[in-house]
Amino acid sequence: MIMATDYMAEALARLRWHDPHSNHICDFVLREGATATIGRSSNNDIQIAEQHVSRQHAVVSYRNGVFFVADLSSSNGTFVNNERVNEPFPLFAGDTIRLYVPEIQFLAADEADLEIAEQTGRVILPSAEGGQASLIATNGPQEGQSLALVGKELLIGRATSDATWQIRLQDRSVSRPHAVLRLKNDRWFLSDLGSSNGTFVNGEPLTGEAQRQLADGDTLMFGGATLLFRSDWSQQPTDDALTEFKTQGDL
């Protein structure tokens, strides 16, 4: 059995939210490398079932020793200390994340916080190496849909009647095709295919033939379509419904 003291050095932060319905204080402890999705949908690591919150609203991820928060093209925006977040924003102890109305405090974690989080099941762990990777659509008509990445090379493009690419996005700003995902040594790499509106990872554009290795919690933008990359999906693909996004007509 792993106790709090066994990995205390890795428990770097906690997210505190006051649930107005139950009047409970909910503390989530994030270990080093953890990714926490936040939104109205029950498939988030932190569910905030309030009307101003989008189904997939924001994500807190860990990169280069720092936790960042990024908006997932939510309807009402994500704010840190009342400043709107337009790209991944570094967090420091004492910062307040606001999902338009609901507020979440970003705080330091200590041993007592970690022990309580263990008891309540609110420790958020880093993703396992070599897990089933997936994409989650966070805006547009496909918002909330999850897609398992199956295969070694997956083309991404606009959903059309004659589309031959594996990942079809319902957004007119997406090219035909737009980008490609390649699996190499159990790591996924993303490249732009000369798209009209660009491919972005965490707000940074991919240029030329550059390949960007993806990490858990990365936000991907293809024109106006926003997707979240997860490297450890709990669901395993069992049929086609889990390996392609559903579309409502063609663009």
Side-chain angles (χ1 to χ4, degrees):
M1 180 178 180
I2 300 177
M3 301 302 293
T5 52
D6 294 328
Y7 51 76
M8 186 58 222
E10 294 183 83
L12 296 184
R14 62 189 162 116
L15 296 171
R16 167 172 285 184
W17 171 58
H18 174 235
D19 185 341
H21 303 292
S22 66
N23 205 32
H24 291 159
I25 299 295
C26 303
D27 279 345
F28 298 83
V29 173
L30 280 64
R31 286 183 59 185
E32 180 176 340
T35 294
T37 58
I38 308 169
R40 195 175 73 245
S41 174
S42 60
N43 67 349
N44 287 282
D45 298 296
I46 301 175
Q47 181 187 19
I48 299 181
E50 297 191 29
Q51 62 177 349
H52 300 291
V53 178
S54 295
R55 281 179 285 184
Q56 271 72 38
H57 196 111
V59 60
V60 174
S61 57
Y62 184 86
R63 298 196 304 277
N64 301 319
V66 178
F67 280 101
F68 289 77
V69 64
D71 185 72
L72 294 175
S73 297
S74 64
S75 298
N76 294 313
T78 300
F79 303 78
V80 176
N81 302 329
N82 289 323
E83 293 187 17
R84 187 158 190 161
V85 171
N86 295 312
E87 58 185 30
F89 192 92
L91 293 170
F92 298 93
D95 282 348
T96 298
I97 303 168
R98 180 164 58 85
L99 309 183
Y100 192 66
V101 173
E103 293 186 347
I104 301 171
Q105 293 177 282
F106 182 81
L107 304 167
D110 58 24
E111 184 175 348
D113 298 321
L114 188 54
E115 290 177 349
I116 293 171
E118 284 181 325
Q119 295 168 10
T120 59
R122 293 187 179 133
V123 177
I124 299 176
L125 307 175
S127 62
E129 294 291 334
Q132 171 67 62
S134 65
L135 296 175
I136 302 172
T138 67
N139 70 340
Q142 294 163 308
E143 181 186 359
Q145 293 187 37
S146 297
L147 166 97
L149 299 184
V150 178
K152 294 186 178 297
E153 183 172 290
L154 303 173
L155 289 171
I156 303 166
R158 190 193 313 170
T160 61
S161 59
D162 59 350
T164 58
W165 29 92
Q166 294 84 359
I167 301 175
R168 298 183 288 278
L169 303 176
Q170 285 193 287
D171 190 305
R172 293 185 183 276
S173 65
V174 175
S175 295
R176 302 175 289 178
H178 193 109
V180 61
L181 281 163
R182 293 187 176 95
L183 182 64
K184 300 179 181 179
N185 300 319
D186 294 327
R187 297 289 185 272
W188 284 97
F189 292 81
L190 179 64
S191 301
D192 185 74
L193 293 176
S195 64
S196 298
N197 294 307
T199 300
F200 300 79
V201 178
N202 300 324
E204 298 178 3
L206 298 183
T207 57
E209 298 181 358
Q211 297 186 62
R212 173 71 176 265
Q213 181 176 331
L214 299 181
D216 188 47
D218 279 349
T219 56
L220 317 180
M221 289 192 68
F222 307 96
T226 303
L227 305 177
L228 179 67
F229 177 81
R230 298 307 308 260
S231 61
D232 185 17
W233 199 28
S234 58
Q235 293 177 278
Q236 292 296 319
T238 56
D239 54 39
D240 289 343
L242 295 178
T243 57
E244 63 181 33
F245 286 125
K246 297 177 182 177
T247 57
Q248 299 174 352
D250 299 315
L251 300 179

